[in-house]
Amino acid sequence: MTLLAELVAASARVARESGRLEKVRVIAGCLRALCPTELEPGIAYLSGEIPQGKLSLGHAALRGAAGTPSNGSGLTLLEVDAAFGAIREAKGKGAAGARAARLAALFARAAADERDFLVRLIA
């Protein structure tokens, strides 16, 4: 399983590179390392998108999750994808609170650079 940290590092390298060919090389290397089940979320995240679409999370939920104490253990791509799916599925009465709680649980396991990446991805 691929760690989100690997994708975050590739994204940071792409941002630092000025040459298009080097950017393509970094992205291609990152994608080649992914398992087939990780390709869809990996491509989406590197493109700045979320496969599930809009998560209906407000700025207050993002701020609250970002302030959650972290054990910094790190996340896998598939864990993030599953968490985003669970957030998207929250509907009905109390859905905003449920989405915020699920996001906070995800952020509690994320390292600092992963949190930053996830906030930018969601926002």
Side-chain angles (χ1 to χ4, degrees), residues 6-75:
E6 295 172 37
L7 200 79
V8 171
S11 177
R13 282 193 306 271
V14 167
R16 285 191 307 269
E17 291 295 333
S18 59
R20 187 175 70 82
L21 291 177
E22 185 59 22
K23 289 177 186 279
V24 170
R25 188 191 68 71
V26 170
I27 292 170
C30 181
L31 294 177
R32 271 195 296 275
L34 299 179
C35 297
T37 56
E38 298 170 328
L39 280 174
E40 182 183 357
I43 291 168
Y45 299 163
L46 284 173
S47 300
E49 298 178 3
I50 298 172
Q52 292 82 359
K54 188 176 178 186
L55 298 179
S56 300
L57 292 165
H59 290 292
L62 281 173
R63 275 194 312 273
T68 304
S70 173
N71 65 16
S73 63
L75 300 163

Side-chain angles (χ1 to χ4, degrees), residues 61-112:
L62 281 173
R63 275 194 312 273
T68 304
S70 173
N71 65 16
S73 63
L75 300 163
T76 68
L77 282 178
L78 294 181
E79 288 172 331
V80 172
D81 191 54
F84 283 167
I87 290 167
R88 175 83 170 141
E89 290 173 3
K91 303 229 186 297
K93 186 176 181 179
R99 286 191 294 268
R102 292 172 185 174
L103 183 65
L106 177 67
F107 274 42
R109 296 187 41 238

